Amino acid sequence: MNRLLKHPLKIGLTGGIGAGKTTVANILKNLGVPVFNSDEHGKKLFINNQHVIHETIKHFGNNILTDEKIDFKKLGKIAFSNKKDLTVLNNIIHPNIADIFNKWLNKQKAKYIIKESAILFESNTYQKLDKIILVKAPINLRIKRTCDRDKKSVSEVKKIMQNQLPVHKIIKHVNYIVNNNEKNLLTPQVIDIHRKILNL
């Protein structure tokens, strides 16, 4: 790959809920890699972008509001329980996130950057990236982590999982895999991938 590329390499980081994407992203941040968190930027749109706010309320109704503001928990409960609703939500926010990402990317000087997103494949964003890192973990462990972290019930987490693409459907597009299963140490795996990308 040409080392004289104007932009850094664009590396996607994804994984199902509770797999450990953010943990891996934080290790990469500590290694000096710029990380763009798509989910965080998406949440900001629901607070600051009037078009996104209007379109979201128009589709999902006032029942997603708390004190006249979009309640992420209420919205997530609806959107992640239904693929059609999730597609509508992605279509509302994705063009805005793509625009924010491109502006952010233009300011980066590193060899590579990370675009962290739970829906790299659902949104087809992966097609615009150079390589993909997938974080994997056993389903039972993912459920436990998410229940503990988000105070969700097992059935709520399973509903979210049902609306995320399973590993076997995306694995052919993945370049690197991190096994976050409590048997394999996480940091050495991430450092190994980091070195491989630096050598591209």
Side-chain angles (χ1 to χ4, degrees), residues 6-156:
K6 184 181 176 183
H7 292 308
L9 291 170
K10 301 184 291 292
I11 310 296
L13 173 63
T14 195
I17 188 168
K21 289 184 304 299
T22 302
T23 304
V24 171
N26 286 335
I27 295 170
L28 289 164
K29 274 185 194 174
N30 289 333
L31 292 169
V33 182
V35 175
F36 181 91
N37 186 313
S38 301
D39 300 336
E40 281 181 10
H41 285 282
K43 284 184 178 180
K44 288 176 184 175
L45 289 171
F46 293 121
I47 298 168
N48 303 321
N49 188 303
Q50 290 306 312
H51 175 72
V52 168
I53 293 167
H54 174 76
E55 289 300 311
T56 305
I57 295 171
K58 183 177 163 185
H59 179 79
F60 291 96
N62 290 330
N63 56 334
I64 62 165
L65 302 178
T66 297
D67 297 329
E68 298 184 359
K69 293 180 180 177
I70 291 176
D71 186 314
F72 299 130
K73 285 190 176 179
K74 289 180 180 177
L75 177 61
K77 199 167 186 177
I78 296 169
F80 285 104
S81 297
N82 183 296
K83 282 187 179 176
K84 286 183 180 177
D85 282 330
L86 189 57
T87 299
V88 168
L89 189 62
N90 288 340
N91 289 339
I92 291 170
I93 65 170
H94 179 66
N96 294 278
I97 293 176
D99 186 47
I100 295 166
F101 171 72
N102 287 330
K103 288 175 181 173
W104 176 85
L105 179 64
N106 286 332
K107 298 174 184 175
Q108 305 307 315
K109 306 293 183 188
K111 169 66 190 280
Y112 78 94
I113 60 89
I114 291 290
K115 185 175 188 182
E116 179 188 351
S117 175
I119 56 165
L120 278 185
F121 291 95
E122 290 84 348
S123 65
N124 287 321
T125 306
Y126 77 95
Q127 295 174 343
K128 296 180 180 179
L129 301 173
D130 297 300
K131 301 284 182 183
I132 306 291
I133 301 170
L134 173 68
V135 186
K136 284 173 58 182
I139 287 177
N140 289 341
L141 185 56
R142 288 170 53 201
I143 291 171
K144 183 181 183 305
R145 284 176 185 157
T146 308
C147 289
D148 291 345
R149 182 190 67 198
D150 299 341
K151 309 303 178 196
K152 292 182 184 295
S153 68
V154 171
S155 61
E156 283 178 309

